[in-house]
Amino acid sequence: MTALTTNIEQPTMDDYPTRKEQTPALLYRKDPAVCGDAASGPIDAETLASYDAKGYLQVESLITRDELEGYRAELARLSSDDELKKDERVVVERASDEVRSVFEVHRISPVFAELVRDPRLVGRACQILGSDVYIHQSRVNYKPGFSGTDFFWHSDFETWHAEDGMPRMRAVSISVALTDNYEHNGSLMIMPGSHRTFVSCVGETPDEHYRESLKKQKVGTPDQNSLSILAEQHGIDVLTGPAGGALMFDANCMHGSNGNITPFPRSNVFIVYNSVENTCETPFAASEPRPHFLGARDFTPVN
Amino acid sequence: MTALTTNIEQPTMDDYPTRKEQTPALLYRKDPAVCGDAASGPIDAETLASYDAKGYLQVESLITRDELEGYRAELARLSSDDELKKDERVVVERASDEVRSVFEVHRISPVFAELVRDPRLVGRACQILGSDVYIHQSRVNYKPGFSGTDFFWHSDFETWHAEDGMPRMRAVSISVALTDNYEHNGSLMIMPGSHRTFVSCVGETPDEHYRESLKKQKVGTPDQNSLSILAEQHGIDVLTGPAGGALMFDANCMHGSNGNITPFPRSNVFIVYNSVENTCETPFAASEPRPHFLGARDFTPVN
């Protein structure tokens, strides 16, 4: 009987097929964007409804000025640690030898370990996802002035589904701004409402794709026609705000950022919370899951 | 007597030295930004005062919807003219074979010839410059969506002075938008008030520098320290506005633009009016003046 049941359930339908067909497709989302309600956390009903509609919300001041200084100092300490540059979790720009990202930063830095379990973050994540949460990924990013490069449009969920085996759209990212985000210094852009559409991408995931995709993603990149349709339909929001503020956005938001020729750098702490009811399985379109520092395989809830 | 007078006047002081020293410098502007008054043209007193302070002004709707369609059609015609691609005045992107700019467009296209002598443009230019004007340069620009590249910070006057021999800051550029300029699609950025400071640049102008500088400028590029000072002091304005609107800005405005990953292209008509009392002489920091399609040597006033 067990074997029969298993057979009936296998193969499970993939609601979000990607990197399997020769042509791209726009598919309807099959998961709610908000699972909790206003009573279950710090986000009020209006903001929750707006998150549901747009796929993101902003908190103008999430951390105090003193905390901000502490996180900046910790980022500076990490960036100047030459030992750390040898760590595979650290992305260094070859030309300048400057640190661009530190992944799994909550395991590398005690300061950021404290931030990722802060109730101001975790409470909001649990409220949106309607369950306990664990950390799928964490990192700090540093985008310098004068030469910051762009990041092309993508849905994080597309990669997490294809390469990490995340089954459903039930994860939320939070970006805590360590510098001011202006409309001119390469701030994140989101197509509001795009989280309701899954753009199925073409191409097959190469082995160890993450080594390339951290620099410039090719496979898992949405096609221009789909992007034009989404941009016409939803427009584009440039997400500005002061240092110390935070942005939370759905795993399937279509987002990207332009380059930055201004003198103003951008840095942030970026944490992905996933529902403990949505833990990662076998990748849906890759031979192996990515390393744990990009897509965690430890699903211990954050408390 | 004539010889003596000439000797006394020679060598003339260069108020805006550039590409001559080993270190950059910030110099005070020695020319007024506005020479006319509200009575002498279509720009009202308040707008003139704002132009004087910021170095730019915007006209939300300069041309009609029908005119806009006509100019767009003419741009499309020019872009698809394969004969024209062989012309040295046309900049074609090698990778895609697409036209990016057509210089001296008022001599190439009868449609744009009419636009550059339109009283709505010429009247405003004469008013700002306080004299008759001639066309120092004209072009149409096409910046595609998805892959539009950035244009680093620069003062146009620095190049016109060094390479074209424009003596004083008494020219104004007008950009007529043929597409909507959003905050997210690589719109022009200006540091408001920066036109009052001349950034003296380092490096010597190579022969035929314009062949390289049209793609990626190196000599005549302001240093990062000067740019940081100007940006801290003045901030950065992103100049958005609908198609059919226009932007006028002073020759010495520090300006640039980020790249454009959005699906929305940007195109405009760009005309530089110079005062007939400020005609170009021997270049101040180059062995030869640039070709006439980049810096006109015909100073006939526009009527």
Side-chain angles (χ1 to χ4, degrees), chain B residues 65-92:
Chain B
R65 179 57 55 175
D66 282 353
E67 288 173 320
L68 177 62
E69 290 311 322
Y71 295 132
R72 281 179 172 163
E74 179 67 356
L75 176 60
R77 189 187 71 78
L78 294 172
S79 302
S80 61
D81 182 339
D82 283 334
E83 271 307 299
L84 202 56
K85 283 184 187 171
K86 299 169 194 160
D87 195 305
E88 64 169 351
R89 296 171 293 181
V90 176
V91 179
V92 177

Side-chain angles (χ1 to χ4, degrees), chain A residues 142-165:
Chain A
Y142 177 76
K143 192 172 182 176
F146 292 118
S147 59
T149 49
D150 58 29
F151 211 119
F152 197 70
W153 299 102
H154 63 287
S155 147
D156 290 328
F157 177 76
E158 196 277 341
T159 292
W160 300 339
H161 186 66
E163 302 192 34
D164 299 337

Side-chain angles (χ1 to χ4, degrees), chain A:
Chain A
M1 276 302 284
T2 308
L4 186 62
T5 311
T6 306
N7 280 337
I8 287 170
E9 287 180 350
Q10 289 280 349
T12 45
M13 266 290 286
D14 182 359
D15 278 335
Y16 304 114
T18 187
R19 311 189 194 183
K20 286 173 180 169
E21 303 293 331
Q22 296 298 310
T23 49
L26 294 169
L27 307 174
Y28 290 105
R29 179 189 184 114
K30 297 191 175 161
D31 299 294
V34 174
C35 296
D37 56 32
S40 59
I43 309 172
D44 63 40
E46 189 185 347
T47 307
L48 263 188
S50 173
Y51 179 94
D52 193 32
K54 292 186 179 178
Y56 73 86
L57 65 82
Q58 287 177 285
V59 183
E60 189 166 321
S61 179
L62 188 82
I63 58 174
T64 66
R65 179 57 55 174
D66 282 352
E67 288 173 321
L68 177 61
E69 290 310 321
Y71 295 133
R72 280 179 172 164
E74 179 68 357
L75 175 60
R77 188 186 72 79
L78 293 173
S79 301
S80 60
D81 182 339
D82 282 335
E83 270 308 299
L84 202 56
K85 284 183 185 171
K86 300 171 194 159
D87 194 306
E88 65 170 349
R89 296 171 292 181
V90 177
V91 179
V92 177
E93 192 179 86
R94 270 190 214 166
S96 64
D97 197 41
E98 282 185 34
V99 171
R100 290 285 168 264
S101 298
V102 178
F103 282 89
E104 209 168 67
V105 72
H106 69 294
R107 292 198 196 274
I108 289 175
S109 153
V111 173
F112 289 117
E114 206 171 312
L115 177 64
V116 301
R117 57 187 67 248
D118 188 292
R120 289 168 290 185
L121 282 69
V122 179
R124 284 176 165 86
C126 291
Q127 184 182 10
I128 287 172
L129 303 180
S131 71
D132 280 349
V133 298
Y134 73 94
I135 293 168
H136 179 68
Q137 188 189 95
S138 79
R139 65 178 193 265
V140 286
N141 293 309
Y142 177 76
K143 192 172 182 176
F146 292 118
S147 59
T149 49
D150 58 29
F151 211 119
F152 197 70
W153 299 102
H154 63 287
S155 147
D156 290 328
F157 177 76
E158 196 277 341
T159 292
W160 300 339
H161 186 66
E163 302 192 34
D164 299 337
M166 186 182 287
R168 311 218 61 89
M169 294 179 184
R170 198 173 168 187
V172 61
S173 298
I174 181 160
S175 170
V176 180
L178 301 185
T179 50
D180 293 336
N181 289 315
Y182 303 102
E183 55 188 9
H184 53 61
N185 69 335
S187 295
L188 197 81
M189 303 187 289
I190 287 181
M191 299 185 190
S194 62
H195 64 304
R196 299 200 179 280
T197 303
F198 181 71
V199 180
S200 178
C201 301
V202 300
E204 199 175 326
T205 313
D207 286 345
E208 304 212 324
H209 177 235
Y210 72 94
R211 292 185 190 275
E212 272 311 305
S213 68
L214 289 183
K215 293 171 201 155
K216 195 98 188 169
Q217 190 164 356
K218 283 174 194 150
V219 176
T221 298
D223 63 295
Q224 295 192 353
N225 190 49
S226 297
L227 288 172
S228 296
I229 292 169
L230 290 177
E232 279 300 332
Q233 193 174 352
H234 300 295
I236 294 170
D237 288 352
V238 181
L239 302 174
T240 58
L247 163 69
M248 300 184 75
F249 62 101
D250 182 87
N252 190 48
C253 275
M254 191 58 74
H255 66 288
S257 58
N258 280 320
N260 177 22
I261 67 161
T262 81
F264 305 114
R266 283 182 59 242
S267 56
N268 58 47
V269 195
F270 193 91
I271 306 143
V272 182
Y273 295 102
N274 189 21
S275 167
V276 293
E277 296 167 12
N278 190 39
T279 55
C280 289
E281 306 167 0
T282 307
F284 286 79
S287 57
E288 293 278 344
R290 297 189 302 169
H292 60 86
F293 65 89
L294 296 174
R297 312 307 290 188
D298 172 352
F299 310 129
T300 312
V302 185
N303 286 315

Side-chain angles (χ1 to χ4, degrees), chain A residues 146 153 183-184 258 261, chain B residues 146 153 183-184 224 258 261:
Chain A
F146 292 118
W153 299 102
E183 55 188 9
H184 53 61
N258 280 320
I261 67 161
Chain B
F146 292 118
W153 298 103
E183 56 187 9
H184 52 61
Q224 294 192 353
N258 281 320
I261 67 162

